[in-house]
Amino acid sequence: MFDDRSPIYLQIADQIKNDIVTGALAEDEQVMSTNQYAAFYRINPATAAKGFAQLVDEGVLYKKRGIGMFVSPNARELLRGGRRDAFFAEVVDPMIAEARAVGVPLSEVVRYIQKEDQ
């Protein structure tokens, strides 16, 4: 499940974020505890806790004292907004620059995209 591309705690946070964006985890749904997560994936509990702490700091998860961690009510929209911004910056803007560089009019790019959407 985990690879060497980034620290495991960041991969944990990314996996939980993806589960929220895709709807696998719903708002106000309880997530596994850090100990359950660590046991299931056979990782250090401190590593899992670091990933969860990051998500709490970002407002994606919240703690209910004595009960556990839950998905924040606005987490999905918060994450989707961030991913939309990243999509335009990392995918669309470079595509526009490449289209201009090779002489493809943006109207042709739009037509192509609209054709694929049908």
Side-chain angles (χ1 to χ4, degrees):
M1 170 182 163
F2 301 112
D3 58 36
D4 293 335
R5 68 178 168 83
S6 63
I8 291 174
Y9 79 93
L10 290 177
Q11 292 179 59
I12 291 167
D14 287 344
Q15 178 188 15
I16 292 170
K17 287 177 182 179
N18 192 56
D19 287 346
I20 293 168
V21 168
T22 63
L25 284 172
E27 296 177 350
D28 290 316
E29 183 176 341
Q30 187 171 11
V31 297
M32 281 194 282
S33 72
T34 54
N35 288 335
Q36 290 170 323
Y37 204 90
F40 186 81
Y41 291 107
R42 296 182 178 179
I43 59 171
N44 187 318
T47 300
K50 190 171 181 180
F52 279 56
Q54 177 178 328
L55 295 172
V56 169
D57 291 345
E58 293 176 9
V60 174
L61 298 179
Y62 67 94
K63 298 177 188 179
K64 283 188 181 179
R65 188 176 178 151
I67 298 174
M69 300 280 232
F70 294 80
V71 177
S72 296
N74 64 339
R76 187 168 191 218
E77 283 309 308
L78 175 74
L79 293 171
R80 288 179 86 188
R83 283 195 178 184
R84 269 191 296 272
D85 294 345
F87 171 76
F88 284 106
E90 297 169 10
V91 177
V92 177
D93 290 346
M95 178 187 65
I96 291 169
E98 181 65 14
R100 286 184 174 141
V102 298
V104 176
L106 292 182
S107 60
E108 188 175 331
V109 173
V110 170
R111 276 194 308 278
Y112 184 84
I113 292 169
Q114 287 174 334
K115 178 183 79 171
E116 292 297 316
D117 193 34
Q118 297 175 5

